[in-house]
Amino acid sequence: MVGPMRPQFVLFGSSIVEFSCSNEGWGAVLADIYARKADILLRGYAGWTSRHALRILDQVFPLDAALQPSLVIVYFGGNDSMHPHPSGFGTHVPLPEYIENMRKIATHLKKLSEKTRIIFLSAPPVSKEKISEIYSDTLAELRTIESCRIYSEACLALCQEMDVKGIDLWTALQKKDGWETDCLTDGIHLSAEGSKIVVEEIMNVLREADWEPSLHWKSMPTEFEQVLSIPQLSPDFKTVVSIFKASYCRYSQWDRF
């Protein structure tokens, strides 16, 4: 164990989570924004569905853990939404089962702690053209933008029912012109630009949520803020600032969030 203990933000999901620390992914961006404020813990499992998640839920989030996460961001749905393969193999999870699985995940997470907050990410859109180009026409027929919409809407409806914060990635990504090429690397997974949109949506939720304590980065204490207060010149060499304040130059693009 490494101290001091910080709030824990857990990212739990399939490849959208596992790959979130690569190529300027949204997990890496969150870790940067929350440096000295919270620990970002990755629990991502490529290829998984909500069905897989239920099987290990108690191991990832034990109810008797001494320290429970302050925030859990969950993403499952893209793999679930794939159409059944004629062979019987594949990741398809029927919509009613998906909804029930996500309900069980939310119920379990709510039991962790009164202070554990939850955000569900809905299934983002996919690009049929890019999937066909990079993978195959068969995969493009199995994983469609319409099926993603259906599972996205089901996830968001469940969030409203269970009083869980939900982020509509299916809509958010498509607001950007050229989203199919700019926001996705292979028609399925997020590019740096796509991850930026995810971070913006998460930061909006954290800023607007009526949570006590607030989990927005500007509201959280900075670890050992007063220990090192050596003054130094500002980047323009005109004023003297502390090292702590100077370090915030890297957050400039997120100041509006």
Side-chain angles (χ1 to χ4, degrees):
M1 181 182 295
V2 178
M5 300 302 293
R6 298 174 180 170
Q8 294 182 349
F9 291 5
V10 182
L11 316 183
F12 179 51
S14 55
S15 55
I16 294 292
V17 172
E18 181 174 344
F19 303 159
S20 69
C21 283
S22 302
N23 303 317
E24 301 179 64
W26 60 279
V29 175
L30 287 178
D32 182 41
I33 293 173
Y34 281 89
R36 296 177 63 177
K37 293 176 178 289
D39 286 333
I40 309 299
L41 305 181
L42 208 64
R43 294 297 182 269
Y45 308 93
W48 280 29
T49 67
S50 61
R51 188 182 291 166
H52 297 102
L54 281 184
R55 291 166 59 181
I56 51 83
L57 194 58
D58 290 328
Q59 297 176 62
V60 178
F61 300 103
L63 295 177
D64 60 352
L67 177 65
Q68 296 292 3
S70 297
L71 175 67
V72 182
I73 301 178
V74 180
Y75 168 73
F76 290 103
N79 293 325
D80 301 65
S81 74
M82 287 185 65
H83 295 301
H85 191 274
S87 67
F89 295 101
T91 62
H92 173 71
V93 174
L95 186 61
E97 181 187 347
Y98 167 72
I99 295 171
E100 188 58 27
N101 290 346
M102 297 301 285
R103 185 191 309 279
K104 290 177 180 177
I105 291 172
T107 299
H108 181 88
L109 295 177
K110 286 188 171 191
K111 293 178 182 177
L112 297 180
S113 163
E114 292 183 356
K115 295 297 185 180
T116 296
R117 310 304 183 184
I118 307 165
I119 298 175
F120 276 8
L121 307 180
S122 78
V126 295
S127 168
K128 180 178 181 178
E129 182 177 339
K130 293 197 76 171
I131 294 174
S132 294
E133 175 188 344
I134 296 174
Y135 297 108
S136 68
D137 291 338
T138 299
L139 180 58
E141 294 298 327
L142 292 175
R143 188 157 188 165
T144 68
I145 189 170
E146 177 61 15
S147 64
C148 289
R149 179 190 65 80
I150 293 170
Y151 280 66
S152 172
E153 291 179 354
C155 176
L156 296 172
L158 178 66
C159 288
Q160 186 172 12
E161 175 190 331
M162 299 195 68
D163 193 25
V164 168
K165 300 294 184 182
I167 293 178
D168 182 359
L169 293 186
W170 194 86
T171 299
L173 265 65
Q174 293 185 79
K175 288 180 179 178
K176 179 176 175 57
D177 292 338
W179 66 269
E180 291 183 88
T181 54
D182 291 348
C183 295
L184 303 172
T185 58
D186 58 356
I188 298 173
H189 299 101
L190 299 170
S191 65
E193 188 64 28
S195 279
K196 181 179 177 181
I197 293 173
V198 175
V199 173
E200 290 175 355
E201 294 294 323
I202 291 172
M203 298 308 293
N204 283 335
V205 169
L206 295 178
R207 184 186 67 248
E208 297 171 4
D210 185 22
W211 290 339
E212 182 61 40
S214 171
L215 299 180
H216 187 261
W217 69 276
K218 290 183 179 180
S219 301
M220 297 178 69
T222 300
E223 189 175 281
F224 297 137
E225 179 178 349
Q226 304 303 326
V227 172
L228 188 62
S229 57
I230 300 173
Q232 66 174 28
L233 287 174
S234 64
D236 60 8
F237 293 96
K238 294 180 180 179
T239 57
V240 176
V241 297
S242 70
I243 282 181
F244 167 70
K245 290 184 178 178
S247 71
Y248 267 70
C249 292
R250 75 178 192 269
Y251 294 138
S252 57
Q253 67 174 311
W254 302 108
D255 279 345
R256 64 192 179 96
F257 295 99

